[in-house]
Amino acid sequence: DRPERLHEVVDKIAHRVRGVEDLFTFCPTHGEPLPGGGTIWGLLCESPPLVAGVFVRRFFTERLGGDFALLESHADTVLFALDEYPDNLALFEIVARCRRVREQYSERHDGLFHAVEALRKLRGLLQHAAPSRLETDRGCVGTTSGIFGVRDSDAFFVEADICRDLMQV
């Protein structure tokens, strides 16, 4: 309901993540362990797609660039997660941006079937997209929007991002 709150939390922990390996490393806590087995990667995998997309953007895309490389072990983990968490469509953001993962995904015998299933899930997600956010995107004509073409939702990971990633894959 409040995506800006998620961004505040992610911003607070982002500076503690020194590298990609930290995302796959157990995070000790003083209270309840993190969902997902105590790793940021596990939390990302078990989160709803739009929340997971924020994690992917912040910890992968913003740190490593629009097209990035992952170690083979991390690429294998992403491919495993696609099967383990088929409802988490944000994982396709990594597939779309990492050449190694994309190539390995294209070699899968069930890759096309998997992608079609993801498109079906995306359709369901789009049918439940908040109409109020779509309206603010259409009506946002402030100075920043007029100059740079920025919409309210550009700061967040939205359904259209998942669609773009699926089409690229």
Side-chain angles (χ1 to χ4, degrees), residues 22-30 32-34 37-41:
D22 289 348
L23 301 173
F24 297 91
T25 304
F26 179 75
C27 303
T29 61
H30 296 291
E32 291 280 323
L34 287 173
T39 66
I40 294 173
W41 175 254

Side-chain angles (χ1 to χ4, degrees), residues 58-59 111 115 117 122 139 158:
R58 188 70 164 118
F59 294 120
E117 286 301 308
L122 174 61
V158 295

Side-chain angles (χ1 to χ4, degrees), residues 87-100:
D87 291 336
N88 194 338
L89 302 177
L91 294 170
F92 279 95
E93 174 93 355
I94 298 173
V95 179
R97 296 182 181 276
C98 179
R99 173 188 262 170
R100 176 179 286 183

Side-chain angles (χ1 to χ4, degrees), residues 143-157:
T143 305
T144 304
S145 297
I147 296 173
F148 300 107
V150 178
R151 301 174 312 226
D152 288 350
S153 63
D154 282 344
F156 307 117
F157 188 84

Side-chain angles (χ1 to χ4, degrees), residues 34-50:
L34 287 173
T39 66
I40 294 173
W41 175 254
L43 178 63
L44 182 156
C45 288
E46 291 188 5
S47 295
L50 298 180

